[in-house]
Structure formats: C-alpha cells, structure tokens
Amino acid sequence: MLARARDYADLYLVNAKTAIIGQFQYRLANLMFLVHLVIEPLIYLIVWTNVAEAQGGSVGGYTASTFAAYYIVWTLVRQFNLSLSPFSFEWRIKNGRLAGELLRPVHPIHYDLGFFLGIKVPYVVYWLPAGLILWLIFRPVIELTWWQVAAFPVALMLGFLVRFAMLWLLGLITFWTTRVSAIFDLFFTLELLLSGRLVPLELMPGWAQDIAAWLPFQWAFGFPIEVLIGRLAPDQIVRGFAIQVIWIAVSYTVIHLVWKRGIKHFTAVGG
Amino acid sequence: MLRGLKLFGLFARISTLNEMQYRANFFIQLLQSFISLGTGLAVLAVVFSYTDNLHGWSGGELLAVMGVHILMGGIMRTVIQPNMGRLMEDVQEGTLDYALTKPEDSQVMVSVRQFAIWAVVDVLMGIIVLVWALVSIGNRTTLASALLFVVAMFLGAVMIYCVFLMFTTLAFWFVRVWELMEMFQSLYQAGRWPVGIYPDWLRAGLTYLIPVAFAVTVPAEALTGRLTPQTILIAAAFTLVLMWVSRAVWKYGLRHYTSASS
C-alpha cells in the first residue's frame, strides 16, 4: 500500500517536472498567452468601472477599486485553474492516442493531473509581472486578514480540482459522439455566465444566482476570488470549502463510473 | 485587381462546393453563432440593468456596435482568417512553393485561396442584429450615413486584412504563430464595446496597433450619427499606409523564405 502510494507520488512528480520544463521553453508564446489572458478581464473591468462611475461610484457594493481587485485576482485564479481542455481530449480520442495511453498500468487521469499541477509553476511565475503591472495601473483595494490569506490557497486548489474534474468528464463525452464542439461551447458559455468569470455573481439577476448555486462553476472561479478580496465571512468560507469537496467527490465518482462504461465503448481510430 | 477578384470568385466556388459535402457543419456553425449571440445579449442585459448609458452610448446603440462586431467578425472568418491559416500551415509544411510558383502575384495568391462558407452565418446574423438595433433606437439612418457605413466597413476590413497579413508573415521567422492568432482574436473581442470607454493607452493600441477601432467603432459611429469627416479621412489615410507597409513586410518576408522541407 505504502509502496503503491510512493509509485503514484513519483508518477506525479515526473509528469509535473516535464510540464514545468516544457512550458518554460516557450518564452514568446508565454508572453502572448499572458496578453491573451489579461485582455479579457481588462475589458470587463473597464466596462464595469464605467458603469460604477456613471452610477456615482458604486454598483451593487462594488466600487472601481473593488472591481480592480476582483478582476486582478481573477487573472491569477484563471491561470491556476487551467485544466485539460475537452478539445484536447477529443483530439486524443480522434487520433487514437488514447489507445497507447490505455496500455499503461495507471489510469490516464493521473498523468493529466500531474501535468496540470506542474504547469502551475511556470504559469504563476509568468503571471507575477502581469499581476504587478495591472496592480500598478488599476490600484485595487484589498483589506487582507490572516484568515483570508490562509483560506485563499485552499480555495484555489480545491477550485482547480473541481474544474479539472468537470472538464475531464466533459471530454469523456467524446467516447459516445465525435461531434462535440457545440456541446463544449455551450458548457463554456454557461461557465462564463454562471461562474463569476464575466461579472461577480452578486451582480447577476437573482434567478441566475439561484441557478448558479446548484452548479459547480462558481466553486472553481468566483469563490476563490471572493475569499481573497474579502467578500465572504469565515463561516461562508468554511461552507464553501465543504461544497467544493462535495463537488470533487461527486465528479470523481461519476468519472470513475463513466470511464468504465466508456472504455468498453471505445474503438481506436488510427494509430 | 480585377484578375484578383476573378481568382477569388473561382476559389470561393471551389471551397463552397467542397464544403457543401459537409452540411452538418452548417448547423454546428449556426448553433455556435446563436450561443455567442445569446452570450452577447446576456452581457448587455446585465450591464444595462445597472445603467442606461455607457460613455454616452445607449443600450440600443451598443446593440448596433455588437451587430457591427459580429458582422466584421463574420467577414474576417469567411475570407481573411482561413487564408492566413492556410498560409501559416504552408510555411510550416514547406508547401508554400506551390502558391509561389504560380504566375499570379504572390500576395494576391495567398490571400484568395480559401473561403469558409459557413462563417457567412455570422455575416447574416450581424446584419440582422444591426437592423434590429437600428429599429429599436428609432431609425435615424440617412442615405449618406448608410453610404459612410459601407465605406467605413470596407476600410475596416482592408485594415484587418493588412494587420493579419503582417502577423502571419512573422511565420517566416517564428513557426509557432498560432498564439499570435489567439491574441489577435482576444484583442478583437475588445471591439465589442466602443473604444471610447477604454483608457488612452489601450485606445491608442486598439486604434493603430490592432485597428479594432476603425473596424468596428467607426462604422457603428457612422450609423449612429457620431462620425466626423476627419475620422473617415484618417481611416482612409491609415488604410493606405497599412496597405503599403503590409506589402513591404510581405515582400521582405518572402525574401527570407526558404522552403522548409522536401
């Protein structure tokens, strides 16, 4: 049992290292990726700053500097919760790459998870200068308490695990149909609207917030942001952790079940 | 010029005939266009639940900006992006030789080979949204402003093409330019809002580095009676500059091109 755990740890470590070394090679690509990352929240931030100013300084309790804090932390959360895209999953199945991966003795999800845990290191390193520049331009206001600082990494990590599981599960649909891009698009649109990515969920209409409460999206995106910028009380944070853990448990159980059925369904294409 | 257009017509017909075999792609495109339209409308609805104007633009006027944005995006994805994507692939695979050895001008040749018929869905949807917006703000369109709009759209499309060509030409030096295209796409998203809302440094970038302002905001200004004669003159002059520069960059890139394989 202990030896097995050590094997898994080694596996994760090797995959993480490969990801780190691989990603640091592409400096120019990383730079452009950062522009790509920053421009989206920048647009939202400017639009909402305009709205806040037109409304005499604040919208729904958010001022220009709270919006700035929200969308700057947004960029870090976004960098951190990047996961295997279901489009890559589709590619892997269409190209028959999965056939080779199935021959390994370990479930493929471990390779992916190790890789995406490792890639956080270069992603966060490259994020630092971007975060700093945004900070200097937009002057956000965050009043930090020790428990916010302590809770943020936990919320961030659990959030990543929620999102990773959702996207992996989504990728599994490719076992049954290969016309998946429209389904993926629909998913990402729902995520955009109901996760806090587009706008803090508090600003969405009440009915949309009610729907969002029953979906996992906000626990991977809006929740960690709100933890750090101080929109939540300690008991709300603890409750959030619990919901994150529940979503993780549910989605990994579903992955386990779907995977077993899907693998029987799978026929390799190409080689 | 005329020969270029004829060539374009021919290639467009071939691409279309070819693509007609895969009709399911049409419905996928339609669905995707509807999803993105729905998202855009939802965003406008949320913003305008808190305010009734954004930097002097009303909700209906911003809907017009969105229509122009979808329309220009459709033009880009129908005729510009597919050609530039093919060009990039050709540079990577070393198959660009086949285009270069044709007797036609090389720049014309690489710019007219592809035509993505299904992206026309976005062109139509953009027009529908635009008409809907104009009706909702109480149609003030005169013949003059409609003409100005067409001119501004044309200039904007040419500018987008020139910048796209310059970016793609970088593929001669750096092979991985897909990230650059991604960046271009996300910067284009900034055009969903009138560039006036952005801080100066960003507005300058969106005007002269990536001409999103000229491609989307200016045509929308033409339709909502905001366009000054100076703006359209600057747009025309800047278009000429970009045409000249992109041509020079293309020629320069071509001199550096050595077939990569076989």
Side-chain angles (χ1 to χ4, degrees):
Chain A
M1 188 63 199
L2 200 68
R4 201 169 148 76
R6 228 182 19 244
D7 286 347
Y8 271 105
D10 278 349
L11 177 80
Y12 272 83
L13 217 59
V14 168
N15 275 294
K17 257 194 205 155
T18 319
I20 294 171
I21 297 167
Q23 192 59 30
F24 270 122
Q25 286 173 10
Y26 300 104
R27 293 194 196 94
L28 189 71
N30 277 313
L31 190 73
M32 285 190 287
F33 186 74
L34 268 180
V35 174
H36 179 61
L37 167 86
V38 164
I39 193 80
E40 183 188 339
L42 199 62
I43 297 171
Y44 304 149
L45 170 58
I46 292 166
V47 168
W48 284 105
T49 306
N50 267 286
V51 175
E53 276 161 11
Q55 295 304 300
S58 86
V59 181
Y62 277 84
T63 61
S65 43
T66 344
F67 275 123
Y70 188 92
Y71 285 112
I72 291 172
V73 178
W74 184 110
T75 54
L76 177 58
V77 173
R78 172 92 185 105
Q79 275 297 69
F80 202 87
N81 75 24
L82 281 168
S83 304
L84 184 80
S85 137
F87 292 102
S88 311
F89 210 103
E90 182 194 2
W91 176 86
R92 173 196 261 182
I93 286 185
K94 277 190 178 163
N95 278 303
R97 279 282 291 263
L98 190 67
E101 287 167 19
L102 284 178
L103 291 176
R104 293 163 167 173
V106 184
H107 195 295
I109 198 170
H110 295 297
Y111 292 92
D112 293 340
L113 198 51
F115 183 88
F116 278 93
L117 283 169
I119 213 159
K120 307 277 170 266
V121 176
Y123 278 176
V124 171
V125 168
Y126 278 105
W127 171 83
L128 287 171
L132 186 71
I133 293 171
L134 287 176
W135 195 279
L136 292 174
I137 297 177
F138 291 99
R139 300 281 167 185
V141 172
I142 301 183
E143 282 165 31
L144 286 177
T145 58
W146 66 268
W147 45 266
Q148 272 164 254
V149 178
F152 178 63
V154 181
L156 197 59
M157 193 64 198
L158 291 176
F160 161 68
L161 291 175
V162 172
R163 188 156 192 269
F164 180 86
M166 282 193 294
L167 294 188
W168 221 80
L169 194 56
L170 195 61
L172 285 180
I173 298 177
T174 320
F175 276 138
W176 283 274
T177 164
T178 40
R179 289 204 179 279
V180 276
S181 59
I183 302 176
F184 296 167
D185 277 347
L186 200 61
F187 176 90
F188 284 118
T189 304
L190 285 178
E191 188 190 34
L192 178 73
L193 295 171
L194 299 175
S195 67
R197 176 168 170 173
L198 180 75
V199 57
L201 271 181
E202 291 169 66
L203 296 184
M204 291 292 274
W207 57 268
Q209 290 184 43
D210 290 342
I211 298 174
W214 292 96
L215 295 169
F217 302 119
Q218 60 171 308
W219 303 107
F221 215 115
F223 175 65
I225 304 178
E226 286 168 13
V227 167
L228 189 64
I229 67 168
R231 307 288 299 181
L232 301 173
D235 63 307
Q236 285 174 303
I237 294 179
V238 173
R239 187 174 151 266
F241 286 160
I243 299 177
Q244 284 183 314
V245 171
I246 292 172
W247 274 113
I248 292 170
V250 170
S251 44
Y252 285 93
T253 312
V254 176
I255 285 180
H256 183 71
L257 296 174
V258 172
W259 174 260
K260 275 208 303 212
R261 293 178 61 104
I263 214 70
K264 287 186 197 133
H265 209 87
F266 172 67
T267 39
V269 189
Chain B
M1 184 70 194
L2 204 66
R3 264 161 61 97
L5 278 180
K6 249 165 123 178
L7 212 54
F8 169 74
L10 195 65
F11 276 116
R13 245 185 55 209
I14 298 172
S15 296
T16 307
L17 285 175
N18 194 26
E19 197 52 37
M20 282 296 172
Q21 298 172 72
Y22 310 100
R23 289 192 195 188
N25 287 347
F26 166 73
F27 292 101
I28 290 176
Q29 175 66 53
L30 196 66
L31 191 66
Q32 282 171 339
S33 298
F34 269 112
I35 290 174
S36 112
L37 175 68
T39 316
L41 291 177
V43 175
L44 278 187
V46 175
V47 168
F48 280 87
S49 69
Y50 288 100
T51 181
D52 53 9
N53 89 86
L54 194 69
H55 217 267
W57 295 69
S58 70
E61 288 172 332
L62 279 188
L63 192 63
V65 175
M66 195 171 109
V68 177
H69 187 259
I70 297 173
L71 172 57
M72 188 58 91
I75 294 172
M76 194 161 87
R77 272 187 298 277
T78 311
V79 291
I80 302 174
Q81 203 176 8
N83 279 299
M84 297 300 123
R86 166 100 181 261
L87 173 58
M88 238 179 274
E89 254 168 54
D90 278 348
V91 173
Q92 282 181 9
E93 313 259 316
T95 43
L96 185 61
D97 301 15
Y98 296 116
L100 296 183
T101 47
K102 298 278 189 301
E104 197 53 51
D105 178 89
S106 62
Q107 189 191 337
V108 172
M109 196 61 202
V110 299
S111 307
V112 300
R113 290 183 294 171
Q114 301 280 310
F115 184 81
I117 180 70
W118 302 134
V120 170
V121 168
D122 275 339
V123 174
L124 296 177
M125 191 168 276
I127 293 174
I128 294 172
V129 172
L130 197 55
V131 171
W132 172 28
L134 289 177
V135 170
S136 81
I137 54 181
N139 198 358
R140 307 181 290 217
T141 325
T142 59
L143 187 65
S145 65
L147 267 174
L148 265 182
F149 168 74
V150 173
V151 172
M153 281 299 283
F154 177 75
L155 293 176
V158 172
M159 280 188 247
I160 295 264
Y161 158 75
C162 290
V163 171
F164 231 120
L165 180 68
M166 280 193 274
F167 273 156
T168 314
T169 310
L170 288 176
F172 288 119
W173 291 278
F174 310 102
V175 180
R176 285 180 45 149
V177 239
W178 284 114
E179 284 93 356
L180 206 61
M181 291 294 131
E182 290 253 300
M183 194 174 94
F184 194 91
Q185 284 295 342
S186 53
L187 284 167
Y188 182 69
Q189 289 307 315
R192 180 139 287 186
W193 306 90
V195 292
I197 70 166
Y198 298 113
D200 293 340
W201 56 275
L202 190 57
R203 189 168 52 231
L206 290 174
T207 309
Y208 295 107
L209 238 51
I210 314 274
V212 173
F214 287 122
V216 185
T217 310
V218 171
E221 282 177 345
L223 278 184
T224 52
R226 288 185 164 76
L227 193 63
T228 57
Q230 289 101 300
T231 313
I232 198 84
L233 285 178
I234 294 173
F238 193 55
T239 307
L240 286 175
V241 171
L242 275 181
M243 282 171 76
W244 181 77
V245 173
S246 60
R247 174 97 186 154
V249 169
W250 167 253
K251 290 270 180 194
Y252 185 75
L254 215 50
R255 279 206 298 280
H256 279 254
Y257 172 69
T258 42
S259 177
S261 68
S262 58

